[in-house]
C-alpha cells in the first residue's frame, strides 16, 4: 500500500496505532512490541489471546486511558500521542467520544445520586440543562433504571451500579466502545441481553472493540485479532479454532478424568452418613431493613461430592458462598462444615480448624491477593497452618507447577493480568489442601487453555476425595465435572436438580427485566 492511500485510510479511521511499544518493567520485557492497528468507524473487532498477553493494556490504550512508551496514536480524529510525547488536550477531546467497559463498577461510581452520576460527563462538557435532562431520562430508561433516578448508587447492588455506569456512557453518545471481557461473569440470560444491546449499538454505527475469550462473541465481529508475544495479527474464525485446537484435546482429557469416579462412588457407599457441608434454615440479610438475600435455605453436600450452584446474577450465590465460609454473618439458621459450626461465637482454635477445612476462591481474585510476590502469596496459608522451611517450599513449588505459574513466582500479583490473578488466588487456596473447596466462578476471565487446566485440576481433586462446591454460569463446565446441580432462585429459594434435567433448566424462559440479569462485576465507564 502506498503512503498516500495509507494516510487516506488513517484519516478516515476511528483509531490508528502505529509502532506501539509498551513495557511494565522499563523495557526489560515488552507487553506490546511495535504493534500497529487501524480501526475504521463502524467496525466491530474481537481481540483474543492468552491471559497476560497484553489485551487489557491494549484496550486501555485504545480507550485513551493509558499512553504507550513509544509510537503513534490517533483516537477519534485526535492525534493524542507521537514518538514519546502525549498531548493532554487531545486526549481530553478524544475521550468525549469514547466509552470503556471494565469489571469493577464500585470503582466507577462517582456520586451519591443516580441522576448526578449519569449527568457527570455531560456537565463536564457543559451541555445545556434541558439536553442533559433528556439524555439522562433516555439513558436510564434504556437500562431499566428510571425508578432509581434519585437513589444512591453507592448502596446499590453491583448489577444496579453497572446499569448506572452503562447509562452514563449511553448518555454521552459514545462513538467508540472498548469492552474488556464484559460478559465473562454473566449468566446465560444476561449474556444474551448484553450481546443484543451491543448488537444494536453496532447496528446504529458505534465502533466496538471487544476483548473476549468467547468463541460465540468472536462470531459477531467483523474482524478477529490475536495478540501473542506483543504482536497483533488478524485471524479467521476457523484460524482461531485451529490455534486453540489443543483445547478440544484437553477437554476430552478433562471429561475422562471427571467421569472416572469409581473411587469416589465406592467412597460414597461406604460413608453415606459422612456430610461435608450441612446448611439448615439459613437466612442472610445485609441490614435489618432490607429483604433477605438468602431466606430459610437448606442444603446438604456429601463428603467427596462435586456440587455446582447455578442461577441468575443477583440471586445470592456469592452471598451463600461467603456465609458458608464464615465471611458473612447469617441472621438465622445453621451451617456445619465437617461437623464444625460456622455460626455463633467460636474459639480461635475452632476458627483455625474451620479455615484449614474449607477453602474459598473469591469472585474477584484481587480481593484476596496482598503479598509482595506470587510465591509469598501462595505460601501465606500453608505457613499460617504450621508448614515451614523445605516442606513449605515444596508445597508452594508443587502448587505453582500445577497451575503453570512458576515463571511468575517472583512477580507482584498486582502487576499481573486479571486472568493470571485468578490463577494465583486459586493457587493460594489449593496450597492449603482444604477438604472442602468453594470456588466462585473460577474460570471466568480465563483464556481457553487456563480454563480447561482448572477443570482438569478440579476433576483430579474430586477423584482424590475433595468436596467441591462450584458457583458457575457454565452448564458445560458443570457437566464435564459430573457435578450435581443446585439451582438458586432469585426468589431466595433453592431447587436441587438432577443431572438429567440440567438442559431443561438451562432453556427456561428468561427474565424480562434486564436489571435482574446483569452481573455485579462488569461495568461501562464513560471516558471524558
Amino acid at each position: 500500500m502506498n503512503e498516500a492511500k495509507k494516510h487516506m485510510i488513517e484519516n478516515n479511521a476511528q483509531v490508528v496505532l502505529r509502532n506501539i511499544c509498551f513495557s511494565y518493567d522499563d523495557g526489560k520485557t515488552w507487553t506490546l512490541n511495535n504493534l500497529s492497528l487501524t480501526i475504521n468507524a463502524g467496525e466491530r473487532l474481537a481481540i483474543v489471546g492468552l491471559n497476560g498477553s497484553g489485551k487489557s493494556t491494549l484496550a486501555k490504550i485504545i480507550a485513551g486511558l493509558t499512553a504507550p512508551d513509544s509510537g503513534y496514536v490517533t483516537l477519534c480524529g485526535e492525534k493524542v500521542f507521537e514518538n514519546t510525547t502525549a498531548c493532554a488536550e487531545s486526549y481530553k477531546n478524544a475521550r468525549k467520544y469514547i466509552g470503556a467497559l471494565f469489571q469493577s463498577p464500585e470503582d466507577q461510581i462517582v456520586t451519591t445520586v443516580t441522576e448526578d452520576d449519569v449527568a457527570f460527563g455531560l456537565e463536564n462538557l457543559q451541555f445545556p440543562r434541558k439536553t442533559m435532562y433528556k439524555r439522562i431520562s433516555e439513558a436510564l430508561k434504556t437500562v431499566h433504571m428510571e425508578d432509581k433516578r434519585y437513589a444512591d448508587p453507592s448502596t446499590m447492588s453491583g448489577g444496579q451500579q453497572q446499569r448506572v455506569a452503562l447509562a452514563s456512557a449511553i448518555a454521552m453518545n459514545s462513538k467508540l466502545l472498548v469492552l474488556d471481557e464484559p460478559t465473562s461473569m454473566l449468566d446465560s440470560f444476561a449474556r444474551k441481553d448484553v450481546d443484543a444491546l451491543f448488537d444494536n449499538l453496532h447496528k446504529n454505527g458505534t465502533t466496538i472493540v471487544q476483548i473476549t475469550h468467547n468463541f460465540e462473541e468472536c462470531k459477531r465481529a467483523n474482524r478477529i485479532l490475536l495478540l501473542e508475544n506483543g504482536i497483533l495479527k488478524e485471524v479467521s474464525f476457523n484460524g482461531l479454532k485451529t490455534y486453540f485446537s489443543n483445547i478440544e484435546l484437553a477437554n476430552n482429557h478433562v471429561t475422562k478424568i471427571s467421569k472416572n469416579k469409581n473411587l469416589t462412588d465406592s467412597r460414597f457407599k461406604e460413608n453415606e452418613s459422612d456430610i461435608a457441608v450441612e446448611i439448615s434454615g439459613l437466612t442472610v440479610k445485609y441490614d435489618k431493613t432490607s429483604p433477605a438475600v438468602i431466606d430459610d435455605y437448606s442444603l446438604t453436600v456429601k463428603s467427596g461430592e462435586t456440587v455446582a450452584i447455578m442461577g441468575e446474577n443477583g440471586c445470592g450465590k456469592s452471598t451463600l458462598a461467603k456465609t458458608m465460609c464464615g465471611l458473612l454473618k447469617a441472621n438465622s439458621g445453621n451451617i456445619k462444615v465437617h461437623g464444625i459450626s460456622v455460626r455463633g461465637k467460636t474459639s480461635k482454635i475452632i476458627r483455625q480448624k474451620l479455615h484449614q477445612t474449607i477453602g474459598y476462591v473469591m469472585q474477584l481474585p484481587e480481593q484476596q491477593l496482598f503479598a509482595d510476590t506470587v510465591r509469598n502469596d501462595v505460601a501465606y496459608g500453608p505457613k499460617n497452618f504450621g508448614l515451614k522451611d523445605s516442606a513449605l517450599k515444596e508445597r508452594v513449588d508443587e502448587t505453582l507447577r500445577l497451575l503453570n505459574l512458576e515463571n511468575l513466582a517472583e512477580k507482584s500479583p498486582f502487576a499481573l493480568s486479571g486472568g493470571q490473578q485468578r490463577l494465583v488466588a486459586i493457587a493460594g487456596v489449593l496450597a492449603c489442601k482444604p477438604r472442602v473447596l468453594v470456588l466462585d466462578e473460577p474460570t471466568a476471565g480465563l483464556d481457553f487453555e487456563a480454563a480447561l487446566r482448572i477443570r482438569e485440576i478440579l476433576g483430579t481433586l474430586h477423584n482424590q476425595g475433595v468436596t467441591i462446591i462450584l458457583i458457575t454460569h457454565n452448564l458445560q463446565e458443570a457437566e464435564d465435572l459430573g457435578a450435581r446441580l443446585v439451582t438458586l432462585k432469585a426468589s431466595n429459594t433453592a431447587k436441587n436438580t438432577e443431572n438429567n434435567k440440567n438442559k431443561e433448566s438451562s432453556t427456561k424462559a428468561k427474565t424480562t427485566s434486564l436489571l435482574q440479569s446483569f452481573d455485579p462485576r462488569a461495568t461501562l465507564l464513560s471516558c471524558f
Side-chain angles (χ1 to χ4, degrees):
M1 183 185 300
N2 61 47
E3 286 299 313
K5 187 173 182 181
K6 180 180 178 180
H7 285 299
M8 183 179 72
I9 293 173
E10 289 185 351
N11 288 337
N12 295 323
Q14 199 95 69
V15 176
V16 177
L17 308 180
R18 266 197 258 132
N19 305 320
I20 296 300
C21 293
F22 188 95
S23 174
Y24 285 102
D25 55 12
D26 297 322
K28 294 177 182 176
T29 59
W30 293 101
T31 303
L32 303 177
N33 187 12
N34 207 33
L35 181 149
S36 295
L37 173 65
T38 299
I39 304 172
N40 295 317
E43 273 198 289
R44 186 168 182 176
L45 269 63
I47 299 178
V48 301
L50 299 179
N51 293 123
S53 61
K55 301 185 300 297
S56 293
T57 301
L58 177 59
K60 289 175 183 176
I61 291 174
I62 294 172
L65 299 176
T66 296
D69 291 311
S70 63
Y72 175 92
V73 181
T74 297
L75 302 174
C76 299
E78 296 281 343
K79 184 168 72 174
V80 298
F81 190 92
E82 188 169 19
N83 297 325
T84 58
T85 305
C87 178
E89 189 64 27
S90 295
Y91 266 116
K92 181 180 178 181
N93 291 335
R95 287 176 189 143
K96 297 175 185 178
Y97 309 105
I98 304 173
L101 181 76
F102 296 104
Q103 293 182 340
S104 300
E106 65 273 14
D107 296 336
Q108 299 169 4
I109 299 296
V110 295
T111 74
T112 56
V113 179
T114 298
E115 180 183 65
D116 293 344
D117 214 281
V118 179
F120 188 78
L122 300 172
E123 287 179 334
N124 273 272
L125 297 177
Q126 299 180 333
F127 274 81
R129 183 169 296 275
K130 187 175 180 180
T131 302
M132 282 197 295
Y133 187 87
K134 182 181 179 182
R135 287 202 184 182
I136 292 167
S137 298
E138 291 174 348
L140 289 174
K141 185 177 180 181
T142 300
V143 298
H144 299 214
M145 287 289 284
E146 56 265 60
D147 62 330
K148 302 290 185 182
R149 183 169 189 139
Y150 303 107
D152 181 355
S154 67
T155 63
M156 294 177 183
S157 70
Q160 289 171 319
Q161 288 180 336
Q162 183 182 31
R163 287 162 178 75
V164 173
L166 177 57
S168 299
I170 291 173
M172 296 289 291
N173 286 344
S174 300
K175 294 180 180 179
L176 170 65
L177 283 180
V178 183
L179 314 171
D180 193 350
E181 299 183 43
T183 64
S184 64
M185 297 182 183
L186 297 182
D187 64 53
S188 58
F189 299 147
R191 186 188 293 270
K192 290 178 183 177
D193 281 340
V194 173
D195 283 341
L197 175 62
F198 294 152
D199 286 345
N200 189 53
L201 290 171
H202 180 235
K203 183 179 178 180
N204 290 327
T206 304
T207 305
I208 295 178
V209 179
Q210 185 166 356
I211 309 296
T212 182
H213 293 305
N214 187 291
F215 277 123
E216 291 303 312
E217 290 172 357
C218 289
K219 284 183 179 180
R220 307 172 103 95
N222 303 128
R223 284 195 286 158
I224 303 171
L225 302 175
L226 174 67
L227 185 58
E228 185 179 26
N229 299 322
I231 299 171
L232 200 62
K233 63 180 180 180
E234 188 168 340
V235 295
S236 66
F237 184 72
N238 287 334
L240 181 66
K241 289 197 294 185
T242 300
Y243 178 78
F244 289 108
S245 60
N246 63 312
I247 299 303
E248 185 176 357
L249 179 62
N251 189 47
N252 290 336
H253 182 45
V254 173
T255 304
K256 288 177 182 178
I257 289 177
S258 65
K259 290 182 178 179
N260 181 19
K261 295 188 287 187
N262 294 331
L263 172 63
T264 305
D265 290 342
S266 63
R267 185 181 59 251
F268 282 160
K269 291 176 183 178
E270 293 172 4
N271 301 284
E272 288 182 356
S273 62
D274 188 5
I275 303 300
V277 177
E278 187 173 15
I279 302 171
S280 57
L282 184 69
T283 296
V284 183
K285 295 183 178 181
Y286 282 104
D287 58 66
K288 293 180 180 179
T289 60
S290 64
V293 181
I294 303 293
D295 189 12
D296 193 23
Y297 174 61
S298 299
L299 173 68
T300 299
V301 181
K302 291 183 179 180
S303 181
E305 190 178 13
T306 296
V307 171
I309 298 176
M310 303 186 75
E312 292 184 358
N313 297 124
C315 68
K317 300 185 299 298
S318 296
T319 298
L320 177 62
K322 290 176 182 177
T323 309
M324 194 187 308
C325 297
L327 299 179
L328 283 179
K329 185 178 179 180
N331 296 81
S332 62
N334 293 295
I335 305 174
K336 288 186 177 181
V337 178
H338 279 292
I340 305 168
S341 179
V342 176
R343 290 203 64 225
K345 293 182 179 180
T346 56
S347 67
K348 184 177 179 180
I349 294 174
I350 294 298
R351 287 198 302 273
Q352 186 178 39
K353 186 178 179 182
L354 174 66
H355 296 154
Q356 285 179 296
T357 302
I358 189 167
Y360 177 43
V361 178
M362 293 181 180
Q363 202 171 50
L364 297 174
E366 62 272 17
Q367 292 180 349
Q368 65 189 101
L369 302 176
F370 58 90
D372 56 342
T373 67
V374 168
R375 175 177 292 280
N376 289 341
D377 212 295
V378 175
Y380 180 81
K383 186 177 181 180
N384 274 345
F385 294 147
L387 218 57
K388 296 179 181 179
D389 304 326
S390 60
L392 177 63
K393 183 179 184 304
E394 184 179 346
R395 176 77 63 83
V396 173
D397 287 344
E398 175 191 0
T399 309
L400 291 174
R401 281 195 302 271
L402 185 67
L403 289 154
N404 288 351
L405 293 172
E406 309 103 297
N407 61 325
L408 302 178
E410 306 308 322
K411 289 192 174 184
S412 165
F414 305 104
L416 305 180
S417 72
Q420 290 171 323
Q421 287 182 333
R422 184 167 295 276
L423 291 173
V424 173
I426 293 171
V429 175
L430 292 184
C432 297
K433 293 189 178 294
R435 295 175 67 186
V436 178
L437 183 59
V438 181
L439 305 102
D440 198 343
E441 301 182 43
T443 61
L446 295 184
D447 62 54
F448 310 100
E449 186 177 5
L452 281 159
R453 189 160 66 249
I454 294 301
R455 292 188 201 180
E456 183 177 67
I457 291 168
L458 294 181
T460 301
L461 291 173
H462 169 75
N463 283 341
Q464 291 173 353
V466 175
T467 304
I468 297 170
I469 300 173
L470 175 75
I471 293 175
T472 182
H473 294 303
N474 190 330
L475 184 60
Q476 185 62 55
E477 182 171 69
E479 289 178 344
D480 284 348
L481 292 169
R484 170 167 66 97
L485 291 195
V486 172
T487 304
L488 195 62
K489 300 293 185 181
S491 60
N492 301 322
T493 59
K495 177 182 178 183
N496 290 318
T497 311
E498 298 300 325
N499 283 337
N500 62 2
K501 295 181 181 178
N502 290 351
K503 293 186 179 179
E504 180 183 345
S505 68
S506 71
T507 57
K508 286 184 179 179
K510 68 178 180 179
T511 306
T512 55
S513 170
L514 177 66
L515 177 62
Q516 294 177 359
S517 59
F518 257 85
D519 179 77
R521 288 141 301 199
T523 187
L524 191 62
L525 169 67
S526 178
C527 306
F528 39 82

